[in-house]
Amino acid sequence: MRIFAVELKLLGMSAKCEQCIVRELSSLKALNKDEIIHLSNCKDSYEVKKGETIFSEGDTMNGVYCIKEGTCKIVKMNSKGKSTILKFIKKGELLGQRSVLSEEVSNLSAVAVEDMKVCFIPKKELMTFFNENNKFSLEVTKDICHQLKEANEFSSNHTHRTVKERLAFTLLHLYELAGADTDGFLNIQLSREEIASTVGTATESCIRLLAELKKADLIELTGKRIKIVHHNELRKLAN
């Protein structure tokens, strides 16, 4: 399996899982002390640069990825070669659990939208934890059910909202995901093409709608940077 699109820098292995706050944000919190120590000794840690691919659609998943820092986008390619951004994965979440458990190739791709740090947990260790630790297997099952719920909500969002409403919803989601900098601009900087892919529209339509939101004084635009000026008004539009 091609783990990343380009050569990555292996991080120093001094960071121990038992000292990592991130593990408390995922199903890994159900592992006991001995399992966490074992996990720390068998995982690999990597840096992923913005734009690099963590794994691609069709890859065999030989383990799962724990997001230690940064955000990536989950992308689905249609039969015409056009990609759609289905969701964003942030710090503390795991990637690849469903494919590992089902023993299926990945049906999605994961691409970094900013510089990231990720840990790779081999399938063998994950399955040992899953088979021997009931609490862990329950947490993994809950995570997968939550992902299915999110997929249903994504479908409903695209079915029942207009493009403008979806754009407002996406901007609010990005704010909730990564927050804003000291100047109030979203911490995640996406291209207009990426925003359009998330919303499910053409890039030209996305640019026009962003201009409309700016004219309505709901957002501020400076290059790729976006600031939400009136959260409540934008939320009303999204709903």
Side-chain angles (χ1 to χ4, degrees):
M1 180 183 69
R2 176 172 59 86
I3 298 180
F4 300 120
V6 298
E7 184 178 357
L8 299 177
K9 178 182 177 183
L10 187 65
L11 297 174
M13 299 304 292
S14 57
K16 299 296 183 180
C17 293
E18 59 268 31
Q19 300 169 343
C20 183
I21 298 176
V22 169
R23 69 181 179 86
E24 294 296 334
L25 305 176
S26 68
S27 53
L28 298 178
K29 63 180 177 289
L31 298 180
N32 60 44
K33 182 178 179 180
D34 290 339
E35 289 170 332
I36 286 294
I37 292 174
H38 178 70
L39 174 63
S40 185
N41 292 328
C42 72
K43 70 175 177 66
D44 287 325
S45 299
Y46 297 93
E47 289 181 348
V48 189
K49 296 299 183 182
K50 179 179 179 179
E52 292 177 356
T53 300
I54 300 174
F55 59 82
S56 297
E57 198 169 335
D59 281 350
T60 299
M61 301 299 291
N62 293 320
V64 300
Y65 300 88
C66 178
I67 309 304
K68 188 172 182 180
E69 291 183 16
T71 306
C72 69
K73 59 184 178 182
I74 301 301
V75 181
K76 178 67 177 178
M77 193 78 68
N78 64 21
S79 59
K80 297 181 180 179
K82 183 178 180 180
S83 62
T84 298
I85 299 176
L86 302 181
K87 63 180 296 187
F88 295 92
I89 300 293
K90 63 182 186 301
K91 174 181 176 179
E93 298 189 62
L94 298 182
L95 288 171
Q97 293 180 101
R98 189 198 63 79
S99 294
V100 168
L101 292 177
S102 64
E103 297 187 334
E104 298 174 346
V105 298
S106 175
N107 64 334
L108 304 167
S109 299
V111 181
V113 297
E114 57 184 349
D115 290 349
M116 301 177 67
K117 292 181 180 179
V118 303
C119 295
F120 178 76
I121 305 170
K123 177 180 178 180
K124 179 181 177 181
E125 274 66 32
L126 186 82
M127 292 309 299
T128 298
F129 299 150
F130 187 85
N131 292 325
E132 296 181 358
N133 185 326
N134 290 334
K135 289 183 179 180
F136 176 69
S137 59
L138 177 61
E139 288 298 327
V140 171
T141 302
K142 286 181 179 179
D143 280 353
I144 293 175
C145 289
H146 179 68
Q147 292 170 12
L148 291 173
K149 179 184 177 183
E150 286 187 331
N152 290 333
E153 289 176 347
F154 176 86
S155 177
S156 177
N157 176 44
H158 276 60
T159 301
H160 301 295
R161 284 189 172 100
T162 66
V163 176
K164 194 171 187 177
E165 290 168 347
R166 295 201 300 268
L167 176 58
F169 179 86
T170 296
L171 295 178
L172 289 167
H173 176 64
L174 292 174
Y175 177 80
E176 293 170 359
L177 185 73
D181 61 21
T182 54
D183 295 322
F185 289 92
L186 297 177
N187 276 321
I188 294 182
Q189 293 185 29
L190 300 179
S191 67
R192 297 299 184 255
E193 291 78 9
E194 289 176 313
I195 296 175
S197 177
T198 306
V199 173
T201 190
T203 303
E204 294 77 9
S205 296
C206 179
I207 294 173
R208 175 177 54 81
L209 290 172
L210 284 170
E212 290 181 8
L213 293 180
K214 178 182 179 181
K215 186 176 180 180
D217 198 32
L218 296 181
I219 64 172
E220 181 181 323
L221 302 175
T222 303
K224 289 184 179 180
R225 304 173 75 200
I226 300 175
K227 178 195 292 187
I228 299 177
V229 178
H230 294 294
H231 286 256
N232 289 337
E233 294 302 316
L234 196 65
R235 192 168 290 107
K236 289 178 182 178
L237 175 59
N239 292 331

